[in-house]
Amino acid sequence: MFLVITQLLLWVVVALLIWYVLLQLIPREYLTWLGGAILLSIIVLAFFFPTEQGVATLWYILSFPLRPLGLCIVLLCTATQRPKQRQPLVCAALAVLVLCSVPWLAQHYQYWLIGSNFPIASVCQAQGNPNLVPVVGRPEAIVLLSSGISQPSLPYQPELVEATMSDLIVTTVRQYQLQQQVGHSPRVIIAARPQPFPWQGVSAPWYSVNSTDILEADIIRSLLIAQGVSPTHIFVLNKVENIRQSAEAVGELLPPRANRNPRVILVASVLHLPRASLSFESLNLEIIPRSPSLYPEICALKQARTGIYDIIPNATSLALTSRVVEEFYTLMYYFLRGWVEPCARCLSK
């Protein structure tokens, strides 16, 4: 932690030094143009090289005001600098905070985003959980899109697997078992970022490692094996950074058949499922979507009763709204890159 703080302070000192030198050497009006050119360069680089760590970090900093919490902070900081406009700026920050942290609103933000890019009516069934219904036909593979094995910036520990990832693994195992019940054993493809995690030295009976770092995909593979998936049926994609690259890798792994496109069961988090389905379908892959929270959060939302807790703001709902906003930006980026197309079945409902 001390090293991170030291690096951050050093970057601040370097930035201030460079800015001071630029102010001394370059007239202020030209410096404005230089700042605009640098900002435009970062945006262009983020558009064409989104997986580069340096570019991604710069874009994350620049896009801070475009997220709910960042916008509130910017409005409040601006209010401290402009006394005459303090009241409207503070009111605007309060309005953003309330509208983004009310549970009922956050749930419907997620529903609207998913519903506009995913055929909810054709996937959700009138009764029961669709995750428990055997699929029709024989899929060539079950694709598990990792959402992160641990919380961001935290090392992996066997007893602290991120809750969403645990649900995705359980759903994948369930789909594998359903296929086995009908006499079919498809391969299970794991798509995870090539991000190593420091090993904490906690003993785990189902996993052993000799190195200090382990890959996320290897952790997921061990968890699947521990729950009954045959090691010979598991295939790991270690070099994918995003959903688009995952779809391309799966398309290369599963050649098209003579009479139909390859069929895969796609397991992903409910918020990423629309973008993942559109990405795979754009590469001529037939998708059977599955998500552990699809039924309770989307399919059964209209039948859920609204209580007092649904209108009291909380931090969990603010986090959900932030994820919805980030997913919206990512969807727009995919549309601009031509990686996905608008969902015709969704617009026609």
Side-chain angles (χ1 to χ4, degrees):
M1 186 64 182
F2 177 76
L3 180 60
V4 174
I5 296 176
T6 304
Q7 291 175 336
L8 180 60
L9 292 176
L10 183 59
W11 274 111
V12 171
V13 171
V14 171
L16 290 176
L17 180 61
I18 293 175
W19 184 254
Y20 176 78
V21 172
L22 290 176
L23 283 176
Q24 298 298 321
L25 298 179
I26 304 176
R28 187 175 296 273
E29 58 271 16
Y30 293 107
L31 192 61
T32 303
W33 285 98
L34 178 62
I38 294 175
L39 179 62
L40 180 60
S41 300
I42 294 175
I43 295 175
V44 172
L45 289 173
F47 185 83
F48 291 103
F49 306 100
T51 59
E52 291 293 334
Q53 186 62 38
V55 175
T57 302
L58 289 174
W59 171 248
Y60 186 81
I61 296 173
L62 288 177
S63 62
F64 178 73
L66 300 179
R67 296 185 291 272
L69 183 59
L71 179 58
C72 290
I73 293 176
V74 170
L75 289 173
L76 291 175
C77 290
T78 306
T80 61
Q81 301 296 324
R82 300 179 181 179
K84 294 182 179 180
Q85 301 178 357
R86 181 171 299 172
Q87 184 175 356
L89 289 173
V90 172
C91 291
L94 180 61
V96 172
L97 189 60
V98 171
L99 292 175
C100 294
S101 59
V102 174
W104 187 88
L105 291 175
Q107 293 169 3
H108 282 76
Y109 296 152
Q110 178 179 244
Y111 181 87
W112 293 329
L113 179 63
I114 294 175
S116 60
N117 298 279
F118 187 74
I120 294 178
S122 62
V123 174
C124 295
Q125 300 189 6
Q127 294 180 352
N129 190 329
N131 291 319
L132 303 180
V133 179
V135 298
V136 179
R138 292 195 170 191
E140 281 72 33
I142 302 174
V143 180
L144 170 59
L145 296 181
S146 172
S147 62
I149 200 71
S150 71
Q151 292 290 342
S153 303
L154 293 181
Y156 165 72
Q157 299 184 51
E159 73 277 14
L160 296 177
V161 178
E162 207 273 331
T164 302
M165 194 65 234
S166 297
D167 293 340
L168 293 176
I169 292 174
V170 172
T171 301
T172 302
V173 173
R174 180 57 177 162
Q175 293 299 319
Y176 180 80
Q177 293 173 345
L178 288 173
Q179 289 298 319
Q180 284 191 319
Q181 291 175 8
V182 296
H184 182 49
S185 297
R187 71 177 71 182
V188 178
I189 302 176
I190 303 172
R193 295 179 179 179
Q195 176 183 358
F197 286 90
W199 179 251
Q200 293 298 294
V202 182
S203 60
W206 42 265
Y207 191 82
S208 61
V209 64
N210 297 322
S211 62
T212 57
D213 291 338
I214 49 180
L215 292 177
E216 180 178 312
D218 294 332
I219 300 172
I220 299 173
R221 182 178 185 275
S222 299
L223 289 169
L224 291 173
I225 294 174
Q227 298 189 49
V229 179
S230 174
T232 59
H233 294 157
I234 299 177
F235 189 89
V236 176
L237 301 176
N238 274 324
K239 298 181 179 180
V240 293
E241 294 281 354
N242 51 42
I243 289 178
R244 172 66 180 187
Q245 293 181 3
S246 300
E248 292 174 342
V250 172
E252 294 176 359
L253 191 62
L254 303 176
R257 294 179 176 271
N259 56 346
R260 63 173 176 84
N261 294 325
R263 180 185 294 125
V264 299
I265 299 176
L266 185 61
V267 181
S269 62
V270 66
L271 196 55
H272 295 158
L273 195 59
R275 176 162 52 95
S277 299
L278 293 174
S279 298
F280 276 71
E281 290 174 352
S282 67
L283 297 176
N284 299 320
L285 293 169
E286 185 178 338
I287 299 303
I288 303 170
R290 291 291 180 265
S291 179
S293 55
L294 179 62
Y295 183 79
E297 294 187 16
I298 302 301
C299 299
L301 183 62
K302 294 296 183 65
Q303 289 75 33
R305 294 183 178 180
T306 303
I308 185 64
Y309 295 105
D310 294 321
I311 60 176
I312 298 178
N314 57 51
T316 302
S317 299
L318 178 61
L320 174 58
T321 303
S322 299
R323 293 196 299 271
V324 170
V325 171
E326 291 176 359
E327 181 62 19
F328 174 77
Y329 292 150
T330 308
L331 263 171
M332 294 299 100
Y333 173 76
Y334 272 53
F335 284 135
L336 292 174
R337 291 297 301 267
W339 291 348
V340 298
E341 297 179 356
C343 177
R345 291 175 294 172
C346 307
L347 299 176
S348 62
K349 65 180 181 177

